[in-house]
Amino acid sequence: MRDVWIFLGLILVLGGVATAQPEWFASAGKWIPLMLGVVMFGMGVTLETGDFGRVVRRPLPVLLGACLQYGVMPVAGLAAAWLTGAEPVVLLGFVLVGAAPGGTASNVIAYFARADVPLSVTMTAISTMLAPLFMPFWTKLLAGHALPVDFLGMAKSTFQIVVIPVVLGMLAGSAGPRLRELSGKVMPLISGAIVAFIIAIIVAGSRDRLLAVPVAIFLGVLLHNGFGLCVGWLTPRLMGRSPAECRTMAIEVGMQNSGLAAALAAVHFPAGAGLPAALFSAWQNLSGAALASIWRSRPAVGYGEPRRSGLFASKKKTGENSAP
């Protein structure tokens, strides 16, 4: 849990410095894709081919999570922007965050929340690999009326920033278990520091706009994240999935890879498009940590077992839960 609070503290400190001294970060924007590539490489090192194999063994929760991730959150982002009266460039930023895959911090939150950690890792991996298709698709479909969206350019950037580093990381991780174990301990801190620095760059580039942001935009971020957490928990519960799976999907759907959204915003769109990503990143880690604290003190009833009631209750054990 300490890692989560350290990450949140870094975001707040660097964000404050970027607000006070934006010129310190002025020349760092061009390095955002490379920095996020390092984060994705670290994620790849911690993955194994077996993480993708779980899709075959447990297809329903993974597919359900992907549908909620890419079928609900982009539209929820657009709705949040409309409700708060966001200007076009900020509206696009909301959609971009909603269309992002699950964030790497979600796996840490899932661990502390006594959720299904293998499922969390699998959902993050699958949604990340699907990002080059769905991020530009939803951004163009839902926000193309607000600003021009280069579908192919976004797809190419996402592929370069996400897929290539993840694959290279997996190849590196396969060289030996020691590297994977070391990366699992070190990379969360390194990744957190990099993402916090990326957010600081975005804040610096949009300082004047950030200081003038109406309270409604902050409310939109809270609504977007809260809706993702709620629909991610309620949908599998109504389908009779296990309490651990419900927690996992809530975390995976509610927590986005805001660093990737910020990187694409910086590369493809005007200043201000990355603002929702910066705000979302800070808030989702606070809400995720708070939720994990509550759930950690309340072990899931029937942990590791699907619920026997619900609209589509399963009658088989899930058999692959992992939590402290």
Side-chain angles (χ1 to χ4, degrees), residues 64 68 227-241 246-247 249-250 307 311:
L64 176 60
L68 293 174
F227 180 79
L229 293 172
C230 290
V231 76
W233 180 83
L234 183 60
T235 303
R237 179 173 176 80
L238 291 175
M239 296 181 69
R241 306 308 301 178
C246 294
R247 293 181 180 188
M249 290 192 206
R307 293 171 63 247
L311 298 182

Side-chain angles (χ1 to χ4, degrees), residues 214-227:
V215 176
I217 301 300
F218 290 96
L219 179 60
V221 170
L222 269 61
L223 288 174
H224 193 188
N225 172 245
F227 180 79

Side-chain angles (χ1 to χ4, degrees), residues 120-143:
S120 176
V121 172
T122 304
M123 288 179 63
T124 300
I126 293 299
S127 65
T128 297
M129 300 305 279
L130 292 174
L133 172 62
F134 285 108
M135 284 196 77
F137 169 78
W138 280 116
T139 304
K140 186 172 182 63
L141 179 66
L142 300 179

Side-chain angles (χ1 to χ4, degrees), residues 20-154:
Q21 301 291 340
E23 63 276 6
W24 292 0
F25 301 85
S27 61
K30 60 184 177 182
W31 298 108
I32 288 179
L34 179 61
M35 288 189 289
L36 194 61
V38 173
V39 175
M40 291 296 103
F41 178 85
M43 175 184 171
V45 173
T46 64
L47 293 177
E48 302 179 44
T49 54
D51 295 324
F52 295 94
R54 292 191 186 95
V55 179
V56 178
R57 299 194 297 273
R58 302 175 62 189
L60 181 57
V62 176
L63 291 176
L64 176 60
C67 289
L68 293 174
Q69 181 77 58
Y70 285 119
V72 173
M73 287 303 282
V75 179
L78 179 63
W82 278 347
L83 287 172
T84 55
E87 59 181 307
V89 69
V90 177
L91 180 147
L92 186 144
F94 268 104
V95 173
L96 197 57
V97 170
T104 54
S106 63
N107 306 143
V108 179
I109 295 296
Y111 176 82
F112 287 109
R114 295 182 181 271
D116 189 331
V117 178
L119 176 60
S120 176
V121 172
T122 304
M123 288 179 63
T124 300
I126 293 299
S127 65
T128 297
M129 300 305 279
L130 292 174
L133 172 62
F134 285 108
M135 284 196 77
F137 169 78
W138 280 116
T139 304
K140 186 172 182 63
L141 179 66
L142 300 179
H145 67 282
L147 288 173
V149 176
D150 180 2
F151 177 90
L152 293 179
M154 276 192 66

